[in-house]
Amino acid sequence: MMASIEAPARSRSSSAVKRAFERYPFLPALIILVVLIALNGWFQPRSVSLVGMTGQIKTYLALMLLAVAQTYVIYAGDIDLSAGAIVSLVNVVIVGVMGQWGGDGVTIFVALAIGLATGLVCGIVNGLVVAALRLQAIVATFATSIFFTGLALYIQPVAGTPAPTAFWRTYGGRIFEIPFVFYMAVLFAILLVVLVRTRLSLRLLAVGDGQQEAFQSGLPVTRIRMGGYALCGVFAALAAFCITGDTASGDPLVGGKMTLFSIAAVVLGGSALAGGYGTVVGSVIGALIIGFINSLVFFVGTPSEWQNLVQGAAILLALMTGVLVGRRARA
Amino acid sequence: MSRLQLKGVAKSYGATKALRHADLDIGAGEVHVLMGSNGSGKSTLSKIVAGSVRPDTGEIVLDGKPVTISGPQAARALGIAIFYQELSLAAHRTVAENICLADLPSRGAFVDRKALEARAAKYAALFEGVTGEGFSLDAVVQDLRADQRQLVEIMKTLAGEASVLIFDEATSALDRAQVERFFEILRDLKREGRSIIFISHRMDEIFAIGDRATVIRDGEIVGTRQIADTTPAEIISLMVGAQEEAAAPADAAPARAGAASVLLVRNLSGAGFSDVSFEVRAGEILGFGGLHGQGQSAVLRALFGANPPASGHVELGGKPLRPNNPRETIQQRVAYVSGDRSRDGVVTGRPILENVMPIHYLRERMVLANPSALAAKALPALQALRTKFAGLGHPISSLSGGNQQKVVIARWLIDRPAVLLLDDPTKGIDLSAKTDLFTLIRKLAAEGMGIVLYASEDAELLDNADRILVFNGGSVRRELTGAERTRFNLYQAAYEAA
Amino acid sequence: MSTVTTFLRQPLVVALILIAALLWLGETLSPGFASGQQILRLLIVAALLGIVAAGQNLVILGGREGIDLSVGGVVSLSAIIAGNLMAGENGGISLAILACILTGAFFGLINGIGVTLLRIPPLVMTLGMLGVLQGLLVVVRQGIPSGRAAPALADFVSRDFLLGLPGILWLWVAIGLVMAFLLSRTVFGHRIYAIGSNEQAAFMAGVPVKVIRIALFVLSGVFAAIAGICLLGYSGSSFANVGEQYMLASIIAVVFGGTPLSGGKGGYTGTMAGAFLLVILQSILTTVNIDESGRQMVFGATLLVLMLFYGRGRSMRA
Amino acid sequence: QDFKIGLSNGWVGSEWRTQMIDEAKAAAEAWKEKGVNVTVEVQSANVDVPGQIAHVRNFISAGVDAIIINPNSPTAFDPVFAQAKEAGILVIATDAEVSSPDALYVGIDQKAWGAAGAEWLARTLDGKGNVVAINGVAGHPANEMRVAGYKEVFARHPDIKVVNEVNANWDQAQGQQAMQNLLATYPDINGVWVQDGMAAGAWKSIMDAGKAGSIAATGEIRKDFIDLWTKDKLNSGASVNPPGVMASALNVAVLMLQGKELKEPAEAGQYKNAMYLPIPFIDSSNLEEAARQVEGKPGYYSYTSALSISDAEALFK
Ligand SMILES: Nc1ncnc2c1ncn2[C@@H]1O[C@H](COP(=O)(O)OP(=O)(O)OP(=O)(O)O)[C@@H](O)[C@H]1O
Ligand SMILES: Nc1ncnc2c1ncn2[C@@H]1O[C@H](COP(=O)(O)OP(=O)(O)OP(=O)(O)O)[C@@H](O)[C@H]1O
Ligand SMILES: O[C@@H]1[C@@H](O)[C@H](O)OC[C@H]1O
Ligand SMILES: [Mg+2]
Ligand SMILES: [Mg+2]
């Protein structure tokens, strides 16, 4: 009962656990993910076969990328409610450009470059209104999301323009017997590893820990936050590429619903919404958790009218577990 | 040869004139002390030089050339570094990252981790031996103690390799050994010809390290003295001005052996302290002393229920007390004043009235809040402390730090508590406010209240406590009563096992 | 001079000026827009939003990133429950109101518990709850026929009630008065501001932080439920996701009313004006004859411009 | 014979969709009498396009024989339908056409549906007057086809002027608000072209404004509205997209799984893969009959029709 303060408060092993959770805040999410994959496999063995997994990655790669996009702004304590609208806009832009210029190999790359630029510009616009004009991020990016959606509707008033066959056949196909999306996943992983080491990542996190403090320390806070939004725009564009590859068409509304899921994924991954703390890997895991919850709900045979409720409840439960376990472990 | 000159620098926040007209001259290789009571404008002046506050008028001359300091980044480029009174650390980043944050060693767009570690290590090494347990380059700042964080902020300031360094109350949380080491570093810097602006409320520090002292009162520079040619008394009279003499510290009253026991604590243990026992009698001021973070605050917070104790026995006026949370202890007539007013005390942006009333709301279980009825309660409490304010409806943030603290203390005076727990209540408070406060405390004690006072400043403790419990490593190591209450005994007990 | 500028800087004043300007613009673009009848109808629509925004306002005032994204779900659910319980009969009104308020309070309570006891960030908790509510709507709607508003409720919302104004406007005014009183003249109100401004200090001064915050979420659920009942009265019958449009709109109304999302300051009077402002803006956009893409671009850009009058954060350099 | 059929619905915002699923399930049940065991697996949830693609992938993993989908996009499923076909799965879309050459469309022609309402309106207004349109979700293909339908018709009537077109997102309350705003700014309109559930909202505003006598507006097919229409003698006409379309598609699917061949290959529509079902129309002439069909049903029940098994068999060789 009477704890002596001379003795270390925590045993060595529990402080090792604490350190692990501190270094890898996505650990709780990883555990949830592994359990979910196991359950998917249990209820529908084919879902964890190569084909099943390829399908799952194809479907959720875009959400993974968008969750990563969202992570960079959340690092700095900001948020981007327009991320999904950027996906839609880039989607119609690249489909439009490919359609316009024929859709062979070269024009596809040109279109993708234009798409990246579009995402970047959208991100910079968000950065300008949030960081430079100092509008509140939630409302300001909601406003830009309406604007971007309007622009997408202007470019392509109705869903359905097809993307060139070469483009989606490549995305959905195989190279050397290995599905193309796996190469994408590997590239994506490399990109993340590289970005973790950048100054921008560290400085975004520092800004997230306290804008005023960061400013007083001499950091160019406005520029850093704009950098976060710009990066978000670029990753949203990458997400749009994946959506386009998987849907083979342009749709001015395609990304709209992804925004809130991208935020949920970031939190599932163990990052702090308040900024200053988190990892992009966690966000990727968070996106996968959402995906595997959705498929598991079907594979266990949930009656259709209950599917939305069970999904919603499971995601809420995962969010709560993640937040609680993470905090417990780090405390 | 002057390094930095301020000419007619002024700054207002709305109606508040934070700095009226500052002329200042700092030489190379000089430690220039800035003295002044709370709200006199020291931090404002510092921040203007450091670029984080925009002056309304005035000129800044650096090495003979007039400069425009457009922001903190520009200040750094000009060779100005600052230790912020409220710190400027990123809580989730490591010590090393914080030290180098402003100027990350990098290769292209990437952080050069090796260089970063090396650079941080260089500055951390300066404090080797006094950083305390749990401090390391890869420790996360959030896990550090207050004094360790201040050390990180100091290292971060040093890492600016600036020619002008400003330390705005950089020693307020440091213990003696840490201060000693810091002063050695300052002396080295001085020898290298750097210019240092040093701000502190501790007279002994000022005389230990300063070359010249400038006193600032109500935003105006009232005089500069060579430290060697002046006395504390002169500095104080400059600070206080002609109209008011600093009152002498209250005399310690003898402990009243026969008085009733107000607070009885037996074998109390909890996070940061263990097996603490003591008794406070009516009319007594019991002092807690010792080095920083030896459990004094933790015991007080535990008694208040803010961090409930793990085990032990507490009696209040003869009845057992279970300090589960502040809400319950307040209702049992326990009061607690924290020195960290911005964290624990002030409800920022709200009117002064609302900042005085919360305890009364709770004690009286009120539902409706009628402003005029409340004002009648609030005014006497504020006046008892000689609080300076324009109106009860004004936001508390319009007051200076010291007056904000008085508002926070006033909330405990409406419904008298049985026990008053003071957790370094004068941190960052000016001398005349201190005097007012201790006069009042003595009066409250005389009226039968039991008071526990933890003060980080030795003089404050020696002057005001009837009895002193010296803490070390979370337990009481020695009790000093009567004539034992000397600085020597206090130091000896404090350093015993450390 | 400076008092004039201070006056003009008040969010409420800004909102009122913008309202006048937009009404003038609307009248110019399409004559008849600012007629008495039309303004009355717009006020009814604004009242629906304003009632949701009352709860949103409280949650935001309470700080700690307070926000309630689940209000839209509660509005929808409440409209459906009310419709089914009254099934077009006046007799069912009181039961329906009771059931809806309890439902709103229940979901608010869960949100509050999640946010305070489990310490889930409000945005996350209420976002998750939104997902649950949307799922629940599907379940509920498949099980029970969606009902119809009682005639008395429909009249209350759109017919004359007193002095030429429909009941819902009186209700809104009453809510406005209660909110003003609550926030400025009660201990509860002062405590809301206290936890919103400095939670730690409030805790140390004996404010029951968790109880207050839970109460705010409960109130938010209750206000959303009341809005759901009124919405049923407005549209006559209930249907899916009626409340969806209120989620972000209620937040914008609060921000336009001068309550920053960081909490601790602001009030409801401004929010009422903010709600009306937003409704006028949307309505002008429906009446001008341009493509939907153009409407959305203009809407988004206008929101941004309007925000420049309000939500701008402080410069980091004082 | 045993067939496993997956039903995917990506939007559960209206009772119409619920009824669509229910009728399809009932149709599967009906095959029992014929000794054919048709089991359905349903994924019906609010999802976005990627979410519905996940539905299809889940069906592939579950090894179904056929997929019937009410798709959230016309083109986005091309790749995943190709994958389904590779796995030997029959894919039929209903309610909204899809571009995939690997799928078949069984449902109504949405453009003709939109045109039918417009024809009625033009006839009722004697070919002249001011008209407003209240549309669903901008950019949604079904909406755009319907819009194309009415535009074509109104273009043929030079004296009919479409003074404004707005979007109310297939939301009844938004439809009501939009109508209210339109009535305020265009006090002289004669006709309203409005779709689905929004029609009930629009009519509420028209009635609130006391203009039910002077305005003709398209209506909808839920019992609640049909009752109101009958009671208040509204000047309305509704073209019917029956929720039974999925049941029709299911019957076609089972016959195809049995290896039967269509008499006339499905080659209609812009994607040349459609088999169009008839579009019933309700107006004052047959309102009573429609009311009789929905009598005793709950208020949200939509007037419906579907290909019975024998109707469907008649289409096959
Ligand atoms: N950001 C601000 N907004 C409004 N008033 C301010 C601000 N910063 C400082 N003030 C006011 O300016 C005056 C000078 O404050 P300053 O912080 O410079 O005092 P100080 O001498 O550093 O006091 P202390 O010893 O308490 O640190 C005070 O009245 C204070 O309330
Ligand atoms: N032990 C404590 N010491 C000081 N402040 C505290 C303490 N516990 C809580 N607080 C402050 O008061 C706020 C509300 O306290 P409360 O206990 O109601 O919520 P909490 O943060 O969930 O704490 P806990 O983890 O103890 O449940 C906290 O967020 C914190 O700012
Ligand atoms: O007719 C509509 C149908 O086409 C749509 O897909 O679902 C809702 C119905 O109201
Ligand atoms: Mg200061
Ligand atoms: Mg607690």
Side-chain angles (χ1 to χ4, degrees), chain A residues 1-6 18 22 194-200 202-203 205-207 209-210 212-220 223 275-278, chain B residues 47 52 72-73 76 84 87-93 97 101-102 104 106 109-111 113 143 156 267 269-270 272-275 310-311 473-474 477:
Chain A
M1 188 69 189
M2 217 153 289
S4 154
I5 59 151
E6 261 83 34
K18 175 186 144 97
E22 221 158 49
V194 167
L195 280 169
V196 164
R197 287 156 204 275
T198 57
R199 246 165 25 135
L200 183 57
L202 182 58
R203 297 200 320 167
L205 285 163
V207 168
D209 257 331
Q212 188 66 30
E213 287 78 4
F215 169 75
Q216 293 192 339
S217 305
L219 294 187
R223 238 191 308 144
Y277 181 76
Chain B
K47 287 181 182 170
S52 53
Q73 244 184 318
R76 290 186 64 92
Y84 287 99
L87 310 189
S88 63
L89 302 176
H92 291 94
R93 298 295 102 215
E97 288 168 343
L101 192 58
L104 289 171
S106 41
F110 300 95
V111 179
R113 284 275 157 191
D143 299 336
K156 182 175 169 184
N267 312 109
S269 297
F273 60 93
S274 76
D275 205 13
S311 67
R477 287 301 149 100

Side-chain angles (χ1 to χ4, degrees), chain A residues 88-102:
Chain A
S88 304
L89 180 58
V90 173
N91 165 254
V92 299
V93 164
I94 60 174
V95 170
V97 172
M98 289 176 195
Q100 201 92 123
W101 293 347

Side-chain angles (χ1 to χ4, degrees), chain A residues 46-108:
Chain A
R46 249 181 294 187
S47 73
V48 292
S49 66
L50 179 67
V51 177
M53 284 304 216
T54 311
Q56 199 76 354
I57 291 177
K58 261 188 218 160
T59 312
Y60 291 102
L61 192 53
L63 185 59
M64 290 183 229
L65 283 153
L66 199 64
V68 167
Q70 192 69 256
T71 312
Y72 288 114
V73 291
I74 287 180
Y75 268 1
D78 290 315
I79 201 159
D80 187 356
L81 293 188
S82 75
I86 299 178
V87 170
S88 304
L89 180 58
V90 173
N91 165 254
V92 299
V93 164
I94 60 174
V95 170
V97 172
M98 289 176 195
Q100 201 92 123
W101 293 347
D104 56 56
V106 182
T107 54
I108 285 179

Side-chain angles (χ1 to χ4, degrees), chain B residues 42-44 85-86 168-169 199 201:
Chain B
K42 303 180 296 297
S43 296
T44 304
Q85 188 178 350
E86 315 82 19
D168 188 357
E169 302 200 22
I199 299 172
H201 286 294

Side-chain angles (χ1 to χ4, degrees), chain B residues 140-409:
Chain B
V140 174
V141 161
Q142 156 176 269
D143 299 336
L144 299 180
R145 298 193 312 253
D147 57 318
Q148 295 174 321
R149 289 182 203 184
Q150 269 195 355
L151 290 180
V152 178
E153 180 86 0
I154 291 176
M155 296 169 195
K156 182 175 169 184
T157 310
L158 297 175
E161 286 302 344
S163 53
V164 176
L165 295 97
I166 306 169
F167 292 98
D168 188 357
E169 302 200 22
T171 53
S172 63
L174 302 187
D175 67 26
R176 200 164 298 104
Q178 292 166 335
V179 172
E180 281 309 321
R181 179 68 60 85
F182 178 45
F183 282 3
E184 281 165 30
I185 296 166
L186 288 185
R187 288 187 194 107
D188 284 344
L189 292 173
K190 221 170 90 168
R191 249 170 262 132
E192 292 169 16
R194 316 239 205 145
S195 308
I196 292 153
I197 297 177
F198 182 85
I199 299 172
S200 168
H201 286 294
R202 294 181 179 171
M203 201 62 78
D204 54 338
E205 292 181 357
I206 284 155
F207 280 83
I209 192 72
D211 295 313
R212 285 193 295 168
T214 289
V215 174
I216 181 169
R217 187 198 323 139
D218 288 338
E220 211 133 18
I221 306 276
V222 291
T224 300
R225 299 284 184 275
Q226 294 289 336
I227 289 286
D229 305 341
T230 190
T231 60
E234 192 192 10
I235 299 279
I236 289 170
S237 62
L238 271 178
M239 283 169 58
V240 175
Q243 76 275 24
E244 223 179 309
E245 275 296 310
D251 274 334
R256 298 182 204 169
S261 155
V262 180
L263 179 68
L264 181 77
V265 174
R266 286 278 164 264
N267 312 109
L268 198 70
S269 297
F273 60 93
S274 76
D275 205 13
V276 171
S277 302
F278 60 86
E279 184 177 12
V280 186
R281 273 161 289 188
E284 187 185 29
I285 301 179
L286 174 67
F288 280 5
L291 296 176
H292 255 290
Q294 302 303 307
Q296 304 97 324
S297 286
V299 169
L300 295 179
R301 294 177 76 91
L303 288 172
F304 186 55
N307 306 78
S311 67
H313 178 75
V314 183
E315 270 178 32
L316 189 72
K319 273 181 270 167
L321 172 80
R322 281 176 165 275
N324 291 325
N325 62 51
R327 214 173 141 65
E328 289 174 17
T329 54
I330 290 167
Q331 278 160 330
Q332 311 266 354
R333 302 179 61 216
V334 178
Y336 169 87
V337 176
S338 161
D340 193 343
R341 66 177 165 278
S342 62
R343 190 189 64 177
D344 294 333
V346 171
V347 178
T348 344
R350 297 309 295 169
I352 292 165
L353 181 68
E354 283 178 30
N355 270 285
V356 185
M357 299 316 296
I359 304 303
H360 186 60
Y361 290 157
L362 180 61
R363 291 278 295 272
E364 297 291 310
R365 302 187 170 283
M366 290 173 69
V367 174
L368 297 182
N370 174 357
S372 54
L374 296 180
K377 304 258 182 198
L379 285 171
L382 290 167
Q383 275 151 8
L385 285 156
R386 296 207 269 167
T387 318
K388 289 197 199 86
F389 63 99
L392 285 174
H394 289 239
I396 191 165
S397 27
S398 67
L399 302 182
S400 77
N403 281 306
Q404 293 188 13
Q405 183 72 346
K406 287 180 176 180
V407 171
V408 172
I409 296 171

Side-chain angles (χ1 to χ4, degrees), chain A residues 226-238:
Chain A
M226 288 191 54
Y229 275 106
L231 208 49
C232 176
V234 168
F235 271 89
L238 295 179

